[in-house]
Amino acid sequence: MTRVRQRRKEGWVALEKRWSPHRWVAHWYLNDSYRDKQGTVRYRQASHVLGLKTKDDLPTKAAALKRWEAIRDGVIKGAKPSALVPKEDPTFQSFLKDEFIPVRSGGWNKATREKLSYYFNLMCAEFGTSALTDINKRTLQSFLNRIAARLCHDTVSGCYIYLKAVFSEAAEQKVITENPTKNLAMPHTRERDTYTVSFENVRRIEDALEGRDKVIFKLLSRCGPRAGEAFAVQWGDLQPDQSLRIQRTYSRGQIKPPKTQKSRKPIYLPTSLYSDLLALKAEAEDQSPTGWIFPSGRTRRRRGPSGEILESRGVMPLDYHNWINRNLKPVAKKLDIRVNCQIMRRTFATLANEVGGDLKDIQAQMRHSRAATTADIYVQPIASSVRRSIEALDLALSTPSDSKGVGKR
């Protein structure tokens, strides 16, 4: 005979935040049990939606409890027999698609969704068809350790964070009884690339470039925008106060919104670069507010299977991948200098800090949400600067102090 579950036999009320607005739900144990795949006795539950956490319905938990007390006996006695049928354990992929993403994706913008889809594809390739209840800490840790040996820190960190989030949601929904990621360890990963271009090498590249290419490189090295942002600017974004509005990004033929809401803030231009852009505008074919500052010079067409033109999008901006590979890297290679988009953004932060720029000002120009991101990831130490600091400390310690100075008590 099945033992009757005594704990919380009258049920309990919980707030479900995966809905908008949030809703109050009553839960209770049924007088029925079963054994899971590991042989552990589990008690089935039933639930009943009491109402919404709104001013006009159930604004507080006390109100929800009062409603549950009034209807509890009738609801529990009227529970449908189908509630006694055990549900099949969801797989990792089905839970991710049907539960986790719909619940957690409310604040994700398009760029975030694309980035997370890469993490999810990696995880589903490993665990997709496995039942959530069959995935344990050992298999999760083994997965992270293996990808840490071949993938970058950001990818491993992303998988680590979202594995914990997925299983935390599963535990909250009582799909699993114990969270296997509770003591999961973030493995050691490859060190971040910290290479930056020196002052002298930035000047050498500038001297080797001409015309529009030189203006583009100066924008990247002296202002620090993301490459996709730099190539998606229009003449209407160039402001009289010598700033450049960031309204969009462009990459691989697609125009998208900026990475984050904070990324929409303008960047500021030095006077010389602002003059270069005005000179470039005077020679541009399309000087209208919607004209691209760095146009590709050809229309973008999408063709069908038989070669017919399905869509013509007019003149588009330069694609920064093409510009870097065809215009910048050949010049830098002749000078034996390594460059790419991330190196140039890191170079801007490092050199701006070296000449005495305030960290908060550099953060504002790069439009980071936290100064720690600017300081820990982008600003890199320069050997000559470190040496000057050491020499300054040595000089201070070597200078004798007077009787009223430091060291006297």
Side-chain angles (χ1 to χ4, degrees):
M1 181 177 179
T2 303
R3 182 171 63 89
V4 178
R5 181 82 168 186
Q6 295 298 322
R7 187 171 66 91
R8 290 180 172 176
K9 63 182 179 180
E10 295 183 347
W12 67 98
V13 173
L15 181 64
E16 285 195 354
K17 297 184 178 180
R18 53 182 175 145
W19 304 92
S20 182
H22 299 166
R23 66 183 192 178
W24 296 104
V25 180
H27 303 267
W28 69 95
Y29 286 108
L30 299 167
N31 296 339
D32 188 65
S33 65
Y34 67 97
R35 291 186 180 275
D36 61 16
K37 295 179 180 179
Q38 287 74 36
T40 305
V41 176
R42 307 290 185 194
Y43 286 85
R44 300 187 181 92
Q45 300 177 20
S47 61
H48 178 80
V49 178
L50 297 172
L52 303 177
K53 189 180 185 300
T54 61
K55 182 178 180 180
D56 298 328
D57 194 2
L58 299 173
T60 64
K61 188 172 184 178
L65 286 169
K66 185 175 181 180
R67 180 175 294 182
W68 174 233
E69 290 174 0
I71 65 174
R72 180 175 55 215
D73 293 341
V75 171
I76 292 178
K77 290 180 181 178
K80 296 180 180 180
S82 59
L84 299 176
V85 181
K87 294 183 179 179
E88 184 179 352
D89 290 339
T91 64
F92 181 89
Q93 188 164 356
S94 66
F95 181 81
L96 189 70
K97 178 181 177 182
D98 300 334
E99 297 293 336
F100 180 79
I101 292 178
V103 170
R104 298 292 186 98
S105 62
W108 299 347
N109 59 28
K110 188 174 180 180
T112 302
R113 289 174 183 272
E114 291 177 354
K115 179 178 69 175
L116 296 186
S117 68
Y118 173 63
Y119 301 155
F120 295 155
N121 287 338
L122 283 174
M123 294 187 286
C124 285
E126 182 76 15
F127 309 113
T129 58
S130 301
L132 279 181
T133 53
D134 291 340
I135 301 174
N136 55 39
K137 177 186 174 182
R138 178 180 296 178
T139 57
L140 293 169
Q141 191 67 64
S142 176
F143 165 71
L144 289 175
N145 293 344
R146 277 187 282 110
I147 66 172
R150 60 186 179 87
L151 299 177
C152 69
H153 172 85
D154 289 347
T155 298
V156 179
S157 176
C159 289
Y160 170 77
I161 291 170
Y162 280 93
L163 277 174
K164 292 180 74 72
V166 168
F167 282 92
S168 176
E169 181 66 31
E172 185 176 329
Q173 295 188 26
K174 298 181 176 58
V175 176
I176 55 176
T177 56
E178 187 175 350
N179 187 347
T181 65
K182 186 176 181 180
N183 296 314
L184 204 60
M186 173 66 186
H188 292 291
T189 57
R190 297 181 306 188
E191 292 187 6
R192 294 179 184 270
D193 184 6
T194 59
Y195 175 79
T196 59
V197 183
S198 66
F199 280 103
E200 179 59 31
N201 284 337
V202 168
R203 296 189 189 101
R204 291 173 65 201
I205 294 176
E206 282 189 10
D207 291 341
L209 294 172
E210 297 179 350
R212 183 174 70 171
D213 292 341
K214 186 171 185 176
V215 175
I216 293 173
F217 183 76
K218 289 175 69 174
L219 177 61
L220 294 174
S221 64
R222 303 186 185 199
C223 301
R226 299 175 181 90
E229 298 169 344
F231 283 77
V233 289
Q234 299 175 341
W235 291 118
D237 300 325
L238 187 62
Q239 302 298 297
D241 63 353
Q242 297 187 12
S243 67
L244 192 63
R245 294 185 304 173
I246 302 300
Q247 303 290 313
R248 66 199 75 79
T249 66
Y250 179 75
S251 176
R252 307 293 190 190
Q254 293 186 332
I255 298 173
K256 301 177 182 179
K259 184 178 180 181
T260 64
Q261 187 62 34
K262 195 175 183 66
S263 298
R264 291 181 178 273
K265 292 189 176 181
I267 61 174
Y268 298 95
L269 307 172
T271 302
S272 64
L273 180 56
Y274 183 72
S275 300
D276 291 341
L277 288 171
L278 291 180
L280 201 63
K281 181 178 182 180
E283 300 175 358
E285 292 184 8
D286 184 0
Q287 300 180 14
S288 68
T290 57
W292 302 108
I293 294 180
F294 307 118
S296 65
R298 59 184 183 134
T299 57
R300 180 77 61 179
R301 295 185 176 91
R302 184 168 64 89
R303 298 182 180 274
S306 304
E308 72 278 11
I309 297 177
L310 300 179
E311 180 185 10
S312 180
R313 301 177 62 183
V315 175
M316 299 296 286
L318 279 173
D319 186 280
Y320 71 83
H321 299 93
N322 293 338
W323 181 81
I324 287 176
N325 291 329
R326 298 174 184 176
N327 299 57
L328 180 59
K329 284 189 175 181
V331 171
K333 187 176 181 179
K334 290 180 180 179
L335 301 172
D336 195 25
I337 303 170
R338 184 160 67 95
V339 292
N340 61 36
C341 299
Q342 197 64 18
I343 287 174
M344 293 313 304
R345 190 159 159 82
R346 193 161 52 240
T347 293
F348 160 77
T350 302
L351 299 188
N353 182 72
E354 167 66 4
V355 299
D358 183 79
L359 181 62
K360 293 298 289 184
D361 293 338
I362 300 172
Q363 175 199 359
Q365 178 77 352
M366 301 187 78
R367 291 151 297 125
H368 288 147
S369 58
R370 299 185 304 120
T373 302
T374 309
D376 297 341
I377 298 177
Y378 287 86
V379 175
Q380 301 299 319
I382 297 178
S384 58
S385 178
V386 175
R387 178 166 292 280
R388 283 197 301 271
S389 299
I390 297 302
E391 294 292 349
L393 175 60
D394 178 68
L395 179 63
L397 293 174
S398 301
T399 303
S401 57
D402 56 34
S403 59
K404 297 182 181 180
V406 177
K408 302 293 183 179
R409 289 176 179 257

